Amino acid sequence: MKRGFTLVELLVVIAIIALLSTLSVVALNSARAKARDARRLSDIKQIRTALDMYFDSNLTYPANCAGLGSSSNCMCLTSNGWATSGCAGTIFMQKVPKDPGTYSYDYTVDVNGTSYTITYKLDNGTAQTATPYSMN
């Protein structure tokens, strides 16, 4: 009597392993997306805090900046406003965080300098906004 596995038994085991690995990859991707979204929300809260400190010091918000934290835009927030390099003076945010995915954080201030909007996207692509008074 021969001992071993039949071809059907091997195919069933391989199919089960493939199914389990597919499910784990899908769950992992979902967890990664949730982690990026949580990081975005944390980043926006930090930026809002720095902007509030800037406002308390200057009685106005700094000028507009698209692509916060990108390689050439708005790398830090100082008493002189957004800086691309060489943070000097009072530093409210040493390094402005960059979006953890493929999107960016866009900051616009109203004409009076008394309110701002930070626009960002979640991993599912829905646009969100943050203001001095709310975060959506």
Side-chain angles (χ1 to χ4, degrees), residues 8-112:
V8 173
E9 290 171 333
L10 288 173
L11 289 175
V12 168
V13 169
I14 290 171
I16 291 171
I17 291 172
L19 179 66
L20 291 174
S21 65
T22 301
L23 291 174
S24 65
V25 166
V26 168
L28 182 62
N29 286 340
S30 174
R32 286 181 180 164
K34 288 179 183 177
R36 282 190 296 271
D37 286 343
R39 167 119 184 260
R40 283 183 183 99
L41 295 175
S42 175
D43 289 349
I44 297 300
K45 287 179 184 177
Q46 290 177 8
I47 293 169
R48 288 177 62 204
T49 300
L51 288 168
D52 289 342
M53 290 188 301
Y54 181 93
F55 185 83
D56 287 343
S57 177
N58 297 300
L59 301 177
T60 185
Y61 288 106
N64 293 340
C65 182
L68 288 176
S70 69
S71 60
S72 61
N73 294 334
C74 309
M75 296 301 293
C76 60
L77 180 59
T78 69
S79 57
N80 298 324
W82 300 110
T84 56
S85 63
C87 296
T90 304
I91 299 173
F92 298 108
M93 183 169 255
Q94 180 69 37
K95 183 177 181 196
V96 177
K98 184 180 178 185
D99 183 85
T102 58
Y103 303 117
S104 65
Y105 306 138
D106 295 322
Y107 165 83
T108 54
V109 66
D110 68 357
V111 293
N112 300 329

